Amino acid sequence: MSWTQDPREDREASSASPSRGFGRWFSDLASAGREVKRVAKETRDAMVLLRHSAKHGDQQARPAEGLSQSLRVEVLSASDLSYVKSLPVPYCVVVTGYPDQTWGKKLGRECKTAPALRQRHPRWNALCHVAFPPEQVSASRVDFQKPDAAAPSADPPELCVRVLDAGGLRGDRLCGEARVPLRGRRGAGTFRLLGGGYATVSLRWSDRRGEIQLTEVSPEDEAFERACAFWARHDLGDLAGVTHAQLELAAMLATEPNGSRSAQLQMNEIILQAPLSALLLNHLDPREIQGLEVQSPGSHSLMTVLSEHLHLFTPLAGSRLVGALVERLPMVRGSVTLEDPCYLVVQRCAEAWEDFLLKIFLHFRGKELLELKRLVDAAGGGRDLRNTVYTVITHEARRAALLKHFEEEAERLEDFPLHILADIDQTVFVGTFGAGGPKFPTGPVPGALALFRALGGRVTFLSARPPIWEGQTRRLLDEIGIAEAVVLPGSLKAIAQVLYAPEQAKVAMAERKTEVFGQFATLHPEAQFIFIGDSGEGDIDFAEEFMAASRTRNLRRPPRAALIHDVARADGIVPKSNAARRNELRMRGIHVFDTYAGAALELFMLGLLDGEGLRQSAHGCLEEFGEIDVVEFASNEVFETRRMELLRDVREVNAAMRSAEQWRLRSGSAAGACDAGYPEQERHERLSEG
């Protein structure tokens, strides 16, 4: 109403068309709501930036001053970052270090990028300078019987880029971590974020010598730059830009039916850098779908062409396609009900995506299939291989075909990859969870990580922790140096039972672990499993089932091994398992140990760890135990008990290695990598115990 208008005319107009007045009122109300939402977003963004600046100060990207040896890192972009409820506010932390160092030991030389507000596919284009790590002597590389023969670590330093979300209410949330070995003076590439779903981060790096020297550009670097240029010229902010990118990418694939090496490299880099959540499955609102051909023609065309050109892609690119489908399929199925008129259309769309998902797995064979499964498992956050096969794939015939494919490919393999299956609490880390007395202070159990590194297999954690704590669990593992691991969670019901029925809770935990591992084992029929648990809660019951199942396995499959870390009683001094109980378990093939030097010795005697691995494990256990301050133990008596246990096991390690060396000299042959220098007959006797 204007100031010059007669109010009576306004009332007459309103009474003449009441629907027009109500429409105007609702329009004004909607506009006010949008304005309130905009102001709330701006206020939240300002608070996030203020909190980030107050917390990190001047640690953002800056030139290297006073660094004689520095690494120049360009953090370009990321794609498909995971988020919980609202879009993330991501920033990067860039550090250097060595593979066997924890994250805390790498800090002190870090550089941070500025946060990107509400971006799932951020483009930082930030320049960082970080110092090279000082040369270290790796504890696992020192000759155990000759301490003076210390040599620098043979492992090259690595560049670590951690992506965090600054928008969390309870602090920064980890979105994933990339680890890049620094084997050359310069390089570039796109890398998966471990534990971050199917997200990737794109980087360039060079040292000062690499900046000055004009070296020949490798085909991989050229493909990386072409992929960066491809995505730089596409605006994915609206549907038209996304559709244009989809159609251009589909045309590129169609013109490369076989694909030269350079074309394959470029297409893989494009897929690695692609924002697949927007590109592959964009703008799908099931309630607006009238038919498959109407729904996102660019997306439908691209998926068709991709399914026809899977031979161009590596397992890394394939794992990204799997991740995008695994994320979207449950969302689509849950967006409609049986009463919705578009229910059948949405189901047809979901069936087509599930077929595409199955086709990706069936395409890869042999070691490429093993690599694909490893990469899918590294996604974390409920998007691993077990969730993909037993939850996302709902059609029984497709699931059966996939499991049959895994079994057939396993039969063709000549080597059996090692899988370390471990509990977390009281086995790898001492914290608030788990049962047992104060055997060690809070923190990693000395020697556990050193043994994992010496074994060199994939690590899977079979934990009693419920799924709601998976994010916290992954952050804990990442802090102690385990970025790539599968976490098979327990159940909240079993945790609650501990409060009122502890014995039933132990049984429930064991049953849950047996059920989850049964599914996991069907996904990896080629694997040789070593289980490491503790005597606190349910692990012995699971170990008995685990070893009993190994006796009924295919004879071509390698035998399993089960080890139990013995916790202490309430005083922290007396072991929970006495000698009679340990002998009883040994007869069933379950070996109880007090220190990880003793665990390494058991694996050495079983032929699952070679002499060099035994030396690395024992020395790593000694080093990690020596880093714990005596005052952190519950009492001097607890510390002295642990020290005597470790010295006893170290003496046994020395004796075993001397015996193996004497046998090798008598036989006049070099010690084998798999039998650790022991005669074949003795190895078979040890493996057949129980």
Side-chain angles (χ1 to χ4, degrees):
M1 182 180 69
S2 65
W3 290 108
T4 59
Q5 185 179 3
D6 188 349
R8 288 174 295 181
E9 296 178 2
D10 185 68
R11 287 195 298 269
E12 291 173 0
S14 299
S15 60
S17 59
S19 60
R20 184 186 305 171
F22 279 116
R24 187 189 313 161
W25 184 81
F26 279 117
S27 176
D28 292 342
L29 185 62
S31 299
R34 287 192 294 269
E35 181 66 16
V36 170
K37 189 175 182 180
R38 182 187 67 80
V39 173
K41 282 185 177 180
E42 291 180 354
T43 304
R44 180 180 178 274
D45 291 345
M47 292 178 62
V48 168
L49 292 177
L50 182 62
R51 183 180 63 185
H52 180 80
S53 178
K55 182 177 180 180
H56 301 292
D58 61 348
Q59 292 182 345
Q60 295 183 4
R62 59 188 185 276
E65 299 178 357
L67 296 178
S68 59
Q69 287 189 329
S70 64
L71 189 69
R72 183 180 186 270
V73 183
E74 294 179 69
V75 184
L76 302 178
S77 62
S79 297
D80 297 303
L81 296 179
S82 61
Y83 65 97
V84 181
K85 294 182 179 179
S86 59
L87 288 174
V89 183
Y91 71 96
C92 293
V93 182
V94 183
V95 298
T96 57
Y98 289 93
D100 58 351
Q101 286 181 326
T102 63
W103 180 259
K105 291 182 179 180
K106 296 174 184 176
L107 293 178
R109 304 175 298 273
E110 73 273 16
C111 181
K112 297 181 175 66
T113 67
L117 291 173
R118 298 192 308 277
Q119 293 290 328
R120 194 179 183 191
H121 318 292
R123 293 187 175 274
W124 295 285
N125 293 319
L127 177 61
C128 300
H129 289 84
V130 291
F132 274 104
E135 191 174 82
Q136 73 159 4
V137 175
S138 175
S140 62
R141 300 259 173 201
V142 178
D143 190 336
F144 185 60
Q145 294 181 344
K146 301 176 182 178
D148 296 333
S153 172
D155 294 325
E158 63 180 6
L159 172 66
C160 299
V161 179
R162 204 179 251 196
V163 182
L164 297 105
D165 178 11
L169 296 177
R170 299 182 180 180
D172 297 347
R173 182 183 64 87
L174 181 64
C175 296
E177 179 180 342
R179 296 186 174 187
V180 184
L182 298 174
R183 294 191 174 92
R185 293 180 176 179
R186 58 184 302 167
T190 304
F191 305 92
R192 278 281 301 272
L193 290 176
L194 301 176
Y198 61 103
T200 57
V201 62
S202 299
L203 310 165
R204 294 192 195 99
W205 68 92
S206 63
D207 61 13
R208 293 189 173 181
R209 296 168 296 177
E211 293 179 38
I212 297 173
Q213 292 184 353
L214 297 176
T215 58
E216 183 179 354
V217 178
S218 66
E220 291 78 8
D221 291 345
E222 184 178 358
F224 174 80
E225 298 301 336
R226 287 183 178 179
C228 289
F230 177 87
W231 291 115
R233 67 174 183 264
H234 286 93
D235 181 13
L236 303 181
D238 56 8
L239 180 59
V242 172
T243 303
H244 183 267
Q246 290 169 336
L247 296 177
E248 183 177 348
L249 183 54
M252 291 175 61
L253 284 167
T255 57
E256 292 285 349
N258 296 320
S260 61
R261 183 171 184 271
S262 60
Q264 290 183 9
L265 290 174
Q266 181 178 348
M267 291 309 305
N268 277 278
E269 271 296 337
I270 288 177
I271 294 298
L272 291 180
Q273 297 181 22
L276 291 180
S277 59
L279 185 75
L280 194 60
L281 314 162
N282 68 301
H283 297 279
L284 177 64
D285 186 352
R287 300 180 186 279
E288 297 178 359
I289 296 177
Q290 301 299 323
L292 282 176
E293 58 279 354
V294 178
Q295 181 270 129
S296 186
S299 175
H300 183 65
S301 174
L302 178 60
M303 289 182 63
T304 302
V305 177
L306 284 171
S307 65
E308 295 172 353
H309 293 79
L310 289 175
H311 61 279
L312 297 177
F313 299 117
T314 63
L316 181 58
S319 70
R320 290 216 69 217
L321 298 174
V322 169
L325 294 168
V326 167
E327 178 187 71
R328 196 69 178 187
L329 269 168
M331 298 169 58
V332 172
R333 290 194 178 107
S335 61
V336 294
T337 61
L338 191 60
E339 292 76 17
D340 289 324
C342 61
Y343 175 80
L344 293 179
V345 175
V346 172
Q347 290 303 311
R348 286 172 54 199
C349 184
E351 291 291 320
W353 290 352
E354 195 170 302
D355 277 335
F356 184 32
L357 179 62
L358 176 64
K359 191 172 182 179
I360 295 172
F361 279 105
L362 295 181
H363 167 73
F364 291 97
R365 298 180 178 276
K367 293 187 177 180
E368 285 193 342
L369 178 61
L370 295 183
E371 180 67 7
L372 176 65
K373 293 196 291 184
R374 183 189 71 82
L375 291 167
V376 174
D377 267 336
R383 298 172 185 173
D384 55 14
L385 187 61
R386 188 177 71 91
N387 179 73
T388 300
V389 175
Y390 287 100
T391 303
V392 177
I393 296 179
T394 57
H395 200 281
E396 290 292 339
R398 293 192 185 96
R399 184 182 301 126
L402 184 55
L403 295 176
K404 181 181 179 182
H405 178 61
F406 291 166
E407 187 71 33
E408 290 175 349
E409 292 304 310
E411 292 293 335
R412 295 188 177 98
L413 293 174
E414 296 181 359
D415 301 324
F416 302 101
L418 180 66
H419 281 235
I420 304 169
L421 193 68
D423 186 33
I424 297 177
D425 300 296
Q426 305 297 330
T427 303
V428 175
F429 189 86
V430 177
T432 56
F433 295 95
K439 183 173 181 177
F440 289 106
T442 300
V445 177
L449 301 184
L451 178 59
F452 290 175
R453 288 192 296 268
L455 286 169
R458 285 183 52 189
V459 181
T460 299
F461 288 103
L462 188 61
S463 175
R465 298 185 177 199
I468 59 174
W469 283 319
E470 183 175 348
Q472 177 186 358
T473 301
R474 286 193 172 277
R475 182 139 195 172
L476 166 67
L477 295 174
D478 200 65
E479 293 295 335
I480 65 176
I482 303 176
E484 181 179 351
V486 184
V487 178
L488 303 177
S491 65
L492 186 60
K493 179 181 178 182
I495 293 294
Q497 277 185 310
V498 174
L499 301 176
Y500 60 88
E503 293 303 322
Q504 290 86 339
K506 292 181 181 179
V507 175
M509 290 178 188
E511 291 176 350
R512 169 66 178 175
K513 289 185 176 183
T514 302
E515 175 189 357
V516 172
F517 172 72
Q519 294 179 344
F520 186 76
T522 59
L523 303 175
H524 302 279
E526 73 284 345
Q528 179 178 18
F529 290 104
I530 296 177
F531 173 67
I532 304 177
D534 64 83
S535 57
E537 294 178 339
D539 285 353
I540 292 180
D541 294 337
F542 169 77
E544 291 177 341
E545 295 285 341
F546 174 82
M547 293 304 296
S550 69
R551 301 185 189 101
T552 60
R553 283 162 56 89
N554 188 332
L555 292 178
R556 186 176 177 272
R557 297 285 189 268
R560 296 173 176 176
L563 294 91
I564 295 294
H565 177 226
D566 202 16
V567 301
R569 298 186 184 274
D571 58 1
I573 298 174
V574 180
K576 181 177 180 180
S577 305
N578 56 30
R581 176 60 170 164
R582 296 188 182 204
N583 290 333
E584 176 188 352
L585 292 174
R586 180 176 288 272
M587 295 300 297
R588 302 176 189 173
I590 303 171
H591 306 272
V592 181
F593 65 92
D594 295 308
T595 73
Y596 271 91
L601 180 60
E602 292 287 354
L603 293 173
F604 174 76
M605 299 294 290
L606 291 171
L608 300 174
L609 188 66
D610 61 11
E612 180 62 23
L614 177 60
R615 184 181 295 108
Q616 293 175 10
S617 301
H619 204 288
C621 188
L622 274 173
E623 287 288 326
E624 293 176 20
F625 182 81
E627 291 175 358
I628 304 176
D629 197 332
V630 178
V631 299
E632 297 181 13
F633 285 85
S635 66
N636 290 334
E637 291 78 7
V638 173
F639 167 75
E640 189 62 24
T641 302
R642 302 290 87 78
R643 188 178 73 88
M644 296 304 295
E645 289 173 348
L646 181 55
L647 292 177
R648 178 202 64 203
D649 288 346
V650 165
R651 284 193 294 268
E652 293 182 1
V653 166
N654 279 328
M657 294 185 68
R658 283 193 295 267
S659 176
E661 180 66 16
Q662 291 171 2
W663 176 86
R664 186 184 67 83
L665 293 175
R666 286 198 306 269
S667 64
S669 61
C674 61
D675 63 9
Y678 269 85
E680 190 75 11
Q681 181 179 357
E682 184 172 348
R683 282 207 309 121
H684 284 175
E685 290 175 355
R686 297 284 299 180
L687 287 169
S688 62
E689 283 186 2

